[in-house]
Amino acid sequence: MTTTTSPLSESGPPEDGAATARPVRLIHTESTTEIPVHLLFRDDSGPAPVRLRPAVVARRQGTGEQPRPRRPAAERSRPPAPGVDPELVERPARVLPGIAGVLAGVCGAAGCAATSWWAGVLPPLAAEALGLPARGGTAGPGPAQWAAYAGAGALGLFGFGGLARGRTGRAWVLGLFGRYRGTVRRTGLLWVNPLVLRRRVDVRLRHWRSEPMPAADRGGVTLRVVVLVVWRVRDTARATLGVEDHEGYLRECVEAALLRVPLEAPGAGRRAMDAAQDALTRLVAADTAPVGLEVFAVRPVRVEYAPEVAAAMHRRRIAALDARHRASVLTSVVDSVEDTVTRLTMRGLVELDDYERKVLVKDLTVAFCAGRGETGP
């Protein structure tokens, strides 16, 4: 089996015995490009090849640059949340390994010692310990020595003053002259610019058990709810600089969500409590996301009536239980009376007219009710 391919150029007639060359498609406009596709085909007759649609790409007019691929809409950056500075996003800060600060501090201390020997103010014992020859007969440090002191001291202060220890689960938010300079999440010995302001933030998974908060059930009855919130700081920049107190903001969001989501009364089933938990988690997570907090769960762990309605709701519950008990007793008595009358008449033990039937039903009902009252439910 032999295959032939179409030529890639316009010029030149086709060779003898070869198929007519396909015309090469060209760019028709400056904004649309049709890319030719040449496929191998068989000599024998067969199904026609599938014609592919030309790919359309954009081209910047008048620049001659190659078209740039466009990112999908899902990969584009999302707009910032309302009320939050779009530039306030966590980014890593520039820090150095701790060995750099140690070396700078040691060099500063050595420079101060060398300057003291140069000025002749280094004690002989210290000079002998450092292996330096004794130097005396000087009038004290001059301008050159004071400048060397200043440089070596500044180097030592910057070296030792910038040493910091990074811990797992902790981060530093750095700021310089009121401007956010980055976040440090690294661990170990680090060197941070001593001029920046450091704010320590706990980024571990945390839980918070609230005090009793006001809530309401579907009927509008006031409740007291204790919730357990599982959360963590996701964006340290927004949590520290975007709000004054992110923990207080979280408490306010939980309290607002409890007033918006109706809870079930004490003693409700687990399914109702799970539905309320999911609704509370969604609301609190949506409210705290703009300030860099990530909420995993808001669980009501204790639900009780408010003190002002607890006594009334207790009496109401007792009355409801009593009503259900009376209804069950009455249903059982009526079933017993009906079964007794039906058996007596079906077996032919008695023949009753309407009046006698009513009297019998009345007597049996009184007797069964009296017996149920004595023996209990």
Side-chain angles (χ1 to χ4, degrees), residues 213-356:
M213 292 185 174
D217 62 1
R218 298 185 183 277
V221 180
T222 307
L223 303 174
R224 287 291 183 269
V225 184
V226 176
V227 297
L228 180 66
V229 184
V230 182
W231 64 286
R232 72 174 179 180
V233 175
R234 179 176 52 85
D235 192 314
T236 57
R238 293 185 177 182
T240 306
L241 305 176
V243 66
E244 183 177 359
D245 182 12
H246 59 271
E247 296 184 3
Y249 183 81
L250 176 63
R251 289 193 294 267
E252 297 296 335
C253 290
V254 171
E255 187 172 358
L258 287 174
L259 297 177
R260 295 165 58 187
V261 176
L263 301 180
E264 296 296 332
R270 183 174 181 180
R271 182 176 300 179
M273 296 302 295
D274 291 342
Q277 173 184 333
D278 294 340
L280 288 173
T281 303
R282 287 194 300 268
L283 284 178
V284 177
D287 292 340
T288 56
V291 296
L293 303 183
E294 187 175 6
V295 177
F296 297 95
V298 181
R299 301 189 183 97
V301 295
R302 190 177 68 190
V303 182
E304 59 187 9
Y305 290 109
E308 59 271 14
V309 298
M313 296 307 298
H314 181 66
R315 292 193 298 268
R316 180 179 176 182
R317 176 174 292 183
I318 293 178
L321 293 175
D322 185 63
R324 287 198 296 268
H325 172 63
R326 289 177 181 275
S328 63
V329 170
L330 182 60
T331 301
S332 62
V333 168
V334 172
D335 293 340
S336 300
V337 171
E338 181 182 6
D339 183 63
T340 302
V341 173
T342 302
R343 288 185 178 184
L344 290 174
T345 55
M346 291 294 293
R347 294 181 181 183
L349 298 178
V350 293
E351 294 182 1
L352 304 173
D353 55 9
D354 293 342
Y355 178 75
E356 292 174 345

Side-chain angles (χ1 to χ4, degrees), residues 177-198:
F177 304 119
R179 185 178 180 182
Y180 173 63
R181 304 301 298 177
T183 300
V184 180
R185 288 181 177 261
R186 297 170 56 181
T187 58
L189 187 62
L190 307 172
W191 184 85
V192 185
N193 187 355
L195 298 180
V196 300
L197 178 63
R198 310 175 191 176

Side-chain angles (χ1 to χ4, degrees), residues 30-31 58-68:
E30 293 184 356
S31 59
R59 177 184 177 186
R60 299 182 62 181
Q61 299 183 3
T63 59
E65 298 181 4
Q66 295 294 332
R68 299 179 180 178

Side-chain angles (χ1 to χ4, degrees), residues 28-63:
H28 298 292
T29 62
E30 293 184 356
S31 59
T32 303
T33 302
E34 296 183 358
I35 302 177
V37 180
H38 304 284
L39 302 177
L40 297 178
F41 58 91
R42 302 177 184 272
D43 292 335
D44 54 354
S45 59
V50 180
R51 184 175 181 181
L52 302 179
R53 298 179 60 184
V56 179
V57 295
R59 177 184 177 186
R60 299 182 62 181
Q61 299 183 3
T63 59

